[in-house]
Amino acid sequence: MRCLSAPTTSGRCSGAQPQSRRVPQAPRRSRAAVVRVSAVLAVPEAVLSSGSSGNVPHSSILQGLGTVGEVSPTHLPWLLRLAHVRAKTQGADSSEALQTSSRGLATWSAALNRGLLPDDNTILQLVAEGDDFAAACADAPLERLSWPEEPLRTMMIRALSKLNIGRLCKKYPAVRDSLLRSVLEVVVRYHKLLAGIAEETEEREKDINGQIFKTGAELLAEEQARRAANRAGSAKTAAAAQVLSPSEAAQARLRAAVDAARAQGATAEKATAFALVKELYATWLSPVQTLDRAGKAFDGLEALLGGDGFDLEGSTWKRAGWGQLDELRRKLEELKELRDLVRSLGRGGGWGPLRRAPVQYLDLNARPGLLRTVLEAQETRGLTRSDDISRLLPAESALLARGREVRQAKLLFYARLAEKALQTYERDGWGEYPTQINPERREIRPTADRGPILLCVDTSGSMRGARETVAKALALECMRAARQQERGCFVFAFAGPQDVSELELNMDQKSVDNLLTFLEKMFNGGSDFNEPVKRCLDRLTDAKWANSDILLVSDGELRQPSPEIMRKLAGAKEGLGLRVHGLVVGSPEKKRADPAVLRALCTNYLPNGKVEQLVSTFESWASVQAETAFQLDWDDVAGNTRRRLANLAHEKERMEEARRKKREAKADISRTGVLPTVGSGPKKF
């Protein structure tokens, strides 16, 4: 039974029987609690008391929050902590301190978005450009927007300008957010140190037996102290040295830096600011240098930063491979033959966005390309004259309809049809045909590079030195091409039997880690080619890699794969149109081994029956000989030359034996007319 009368103060309807079941109601927030929340977030009390939360306009809440409403959720905890510390140490209102800090943070964010640092000139520029938070402080912009306090602000701006970090923050928003968090952390620590508030230390973890987990550095320091005590000849057991945790060690270094600056006559504010800014500079120096190198090597570096923001403490930006990557990037500017080789890999017509590109013409002996044809009715380009009735203009259709009554109209229509002179829509498109490129003429056409790349790199000991540099530069160029041309790249780094490393080089965090691992790798081992070829052929069964070409990079010292692998490779060339390319990285001083095996692997058969060998020889040694680290000839170390010549002689004997058996088999067939079979008697044609 519904109650139609007004409810009483007791919550029951007048004139109704008391209900046995009552719906529990949410507890009401006290007036004092509402006032406390409005005081912390600087929300006017009138906004909160104007009605229930569902009736308060969203714009009113944002207007009451001020610049605090624009703060990122990742920065808000540090901003609240800063307001609490300032209110505790300076006796100021926490809401006023929160608004001041949020305005300063908004100034830093707006300046970094423009690639600038928030000095006085930048603040005046923000006011002139009319930003919301800056326009509200137009009466005294330098006094109200200068944040943090001096001398920390000036020192911080000078250190960050020396890093030239503004351009990175403008280009990569994730770097800007991480830098703002570091700035907030420095400001909080600055006020805590001045007030003498101890930093929070993370407690060590303990197991169920009460043993404390220690880091590797702590255990190593304890072991070194124990050994030093034993070497001193102490009769007693060496006591373990007290080792600080990483956070405690950082705080100890910071206090020592502050004490050293105070000893030289600096005030407490300047000494604390100098120590904190010096630590901030050292923290960001290595990541900024790494980002600079990565930005020059790759386009679209935003994918490496991840969706969770820039990880300043991540191990990726501290790896030694970035230094090698920067050197290889500079060398690739001179190694044009490697770039041209990578662009020639992959099969397919090269579908992609419309660009001005060289014209392609039909050539049945060439690779697949794109030709405009009426057989692919993909788009209407204009008007033309033809005999296609399905594409008639309305005027021609009206003439045909008029021919039912007027004989002259009918005769005129069929005369135009016979002459292919009917006005029709021009509809055509692009189809894949064997084509050749005419570089002297250009047209607007779909342009994209070929299919994916399967790169097999010989990482044996004979590839050390300058040849190792060429192989790593080629892997870097393949990854760059995969990013720029939107194609896949997979690397098989092979050495001895079953020693194959698989690296997929896309444009994500995992791929960059794979590339750095390959760049940091020291080439060593043998040269077993069966496993990488087998894995390449297995990958061709995937639709993503179906149009791949294989590129083999070696110094020529390879043994021919097993007959089973060679049969599978020949089947892939014939059935799938696979093309195998080879790059022989010889030696700048003397002739290398005869790459007969590599030439046999890179022999491809065209649809017209012709045979092509796609074997290139690296010649640009001037670009990789300049480094002193590459001057050692590893071929003559530990008798490698003797072993190489012995392997060549053995390979020559094996090839001669195979040719002899083949000649004998042909002679038997021509003499008896019987094919040799295995496990059964002779079988006639």
Side-chain angles (χ1 to χ4, degrees), residues 506-576:
N506 293 324
M507 198 58 185
D508 52 15
Q509 186 70 43
K510 182 179 179 181
S511 298
V512 173
D513 290 337
N514 291 338
L515 178 64
L516 294 177
T517 302
F518 179 73
L519 297 182
E520 296 168 358
K521 177 182 178 62
M522 178 178 293
F523 286 11
N524 194 13
S527 298
D528 184 76
F529 199 51
N530 288 279
E531 189 63 23
V533 175
K534 180 179 179 298
R535 297 190 186 187
C536 286
L537 296 177
D538 293 341
R539 191 159 291 275
L540 289 176
T541 58
D542 190 353
K544 177 182 177 182
W545 305 93
N547 288 332
S548 303
D549 274 357
I550 299 177
L551 174 59
L552 311 177
V553 182
S554 176
D555 56 354
E557 296 185 12
L558 290 175
R559 292 185 179 181
Q560 187 169 349
S562 63
E564 181 183 0
I565 297 296
M566 293 298 293
R567 285 195 300 269
K568 290 183 178 180
L569 187 61
K573 290 180 180 179
E574 182 178 357
L576 302 177

Side-chain angles (χ1 to χ4, degrees), residues 352-423:
L354 293 177
R355 296 194 184 100
R356 182 172 292 277
V359 173
Q360 296 185 6
Y361 61 91
L362 183 65
D363 187 353
L364 296 179
N365 299 331
R367 302 181 62 182
L370 294 180
L371 287 180
R372 188 176 289 279
T373 172
V374 295
L375 300 179
E376 300 287 345
Q378 300 169 351
E379 59 177 345
T380 301
R381 302 178 61 229
L383 302 179
T384 186
R385 294 185 179 274
S386 69
D387 59 348
D388 191 350
I389 299 179
S390 63
R391 297 185 282 119
L392 287 177
L393 289 181
E396 300 289 357
S397 301
L399 180 63
L400 178 60
R402 181 65 173 169
R404 297 179 179 179
E405 300 177 358
V406 181
R407 185 171 180 273
Q408 291 80 357
K410 180 179 181 180
L411 294 176
L412 178 60
F413 178 84
Y414 282 107
R416 291 179 179 177
L417 178 64
E419 297 173 354
K420 297 183 179 181
L422 292 173
Q423 297 184 18

Side-chain angles (χ1 to χ4, degrees), residues 18-195:
Q19 302 292 330
S20 59
R21 297 179 60 188
R22 298 182 59 187
V23 179
Q25 298 181 358
R28 298 182 178 179
R29 182 175 296 178
S30 63
R31 182 74 176 176
V34 175
V35 173
R36 284 197 299 271
V37 173
S38 63
V40 173
L41 296 180
V43 181
E45 182 183 350
V47 175
L48 294 176
S49 61
S50 58
S52 62
S53 59
N55 297 327
V56 178
H58 182 63
S59 58
S60 301
I61 296 180
L62 289 181
Q63 185 177 3
L65 291 175
T67 53
V68 181
E70 304 296 333
V71 176
S72 172
T74 58
H75 300 149
L76 187 57
W78 287 98
L79 206 61
L80 294 173
R81 190 177 305 177
L82 176 60
H84 172 71
V85 171
R86 291 188 59 185
K88 184 176 181 180
T89 57
Q90 300 178 3
D93 187 4
S94 59
S95 62
E96 182 180 353
L98 184 63
Q99 289 291 344
T100 302
S101 301
S102 62
R103 283 197 305 268
L105 189 65
T107 305
W108 276 74
S109 179
L112 294 175
N113 283 336
R114 294 167 170 81
L116 305 173
L117 291 173
D119 54 7
D120 294 346
N121 294 330
T122 304
I123 291 177
L124 296 178
Q125 178 181 346
L126 295 177
V127 174
E129 293 179 359
D131 285 14
D132 294 338
F133 71 92
C137 305
D139 53 343
L142 297 181
E143 290 78 5
R144 302 184 62 183
L145 297 179
S146 296
W147 180 86
E149 294 81 358
E150 297 292 349
L152 180 60
R153 173 175 175 264
T154 301
M155 291 185 181
M156 193 179 298
I157 291 177
R158 288 178 180 176
L160 296 179
S161 62
K162 187 177 180 181
L163 287 174
N164 198 12
I165 201 174
R167 57 185 177 83
L168 295 177
C169 294
K170 180 180 180 181
K171 191 174 183 180
Y172 310 119
V175 178
R176 178 204 61 201
D177 296 339
S178 182
L179 179 62
L180 291 177
R181 180 175 177 178
S182 297
V183 169
L184 280 171
E185 183 179 357
V186 168
V187 176
V188 171
R189 295 176 63 188
Y190 174 76
H191 287 285
K192 282 188 174 182
L193 288 174
L194 290 181

